[in-house]
Every structure is written in C-alpha cells, then in structure tokens.
Amino acid sequence: LACGRRSGDSKRQVILFILCVCVCQSGAETLRYSLPEEMERDSFVANIAKDLGVPLSQLAARKARVVSEGNEQLFRLHQNTGVLTAKESLDREEICPQSDTCT
C-alpha cells in the first residue's frame, strides 16, 4: 500500500512539473543572434521590439529582460527603445577560451 501511494505521488509530481514547464514556456520566446568577434562596447546588436513584433510600451509591461547563462551580463536591453547593445567589448577568446564557437 505504501509503494502504491508513493508511485501515485511521483506521477503527480511529474505531471505537475510538465504542466509548470509548459505554462512557463508558453509566454516566452527565444531570439538568437550571431555577432562578430571583437564587438565593441555599446555596439548595436538588435532591435528586440521590432524582432518580436511588439510595441515599445509592451517591453516594460511584459518585463522583457536579457538572460545570461554565466554570472556576467554581456548585453543591455534599453526598454524605452527596444535596442539591445553589447554591455562590454566582446572577445570570444576571453568569454569561451576552450571553444572555437561561443554560445
């Protein structure tokens, strides 16, 4: 009886996890850009509002943000213009020293 109950709890947890992932991802969109090496500080990367097809007023309302996998934030999103810029000078060898490509 105890095993049957734990099995049911595990199934419920898995279903809840899948539901949470689906709900969280339903409103998110990922944009990817290729950038040249040695990109200078404050260089233009993209106009996020234009690429997403949303009005500028919606960027702040939707809490648009740049998410970085590392500890360092390499880009800056200007919510009043929708422009994404390089926060610092980008050097691939410095950011990804063990890789030929950097993601």
Side-chain angles (χ1 to χ4, degrees):
L1 182 64
C3 289
R5 183 172 182 179
R6 285 188 182 173
S7 176
D9 288 344
S10 295
K11 287 179 185 176
R12 206 172 333 174
Q13 288 176 344
V14 169
I15 291 170
L16 182 59
F17 174 74
I18 292 170
L19 180 62
C20 287
V21 169
C22 291
V23 169
C24 291
Q25 293 299 317
S26 65
E29 185 167 340
T30 301
L31 298 174
R32 294 183 185 264
Y33 298 98
S34 294
L35 307 173
E37 273 192 64
E38 308 297 331
M39 185 173 234
E40 295 296 322
R41 176 188 186 130
D42 295 325
S43 294
F44 175 85
V45 175
N47 187 319
I48 300 297
K50 181 180 174 186
D51 292 347
L52 289 173
V54 297
L56 290 175
S57 61
Q58 290 295 311
L59 287 180
R62 294 183 183 196
K63 299 179 183 176
R65 65 187 184 278
V66 176
V67 177
S68 178
E69 289 182 12
N71 294 332
E72 188 177 359
Q73 193 64 261
L74 300 173
F75 301 96
R76 180 179 298 125
L77 176 61
H78 303 271
Q79 288 189 347
N80 57 335
T81 63
V83 171
L84 181 70
T85 58
K87 191 172 180 183
E88 300 293 331
S89 176
L90 300 180
D91 182 9
R92 187 200 55 78
E93 286 91 7
E94 186 178 312
I95 298 168
C96 307
Q98 282 82 24
S99 177
D100 289 339
T101 59
C102 190
T103 303

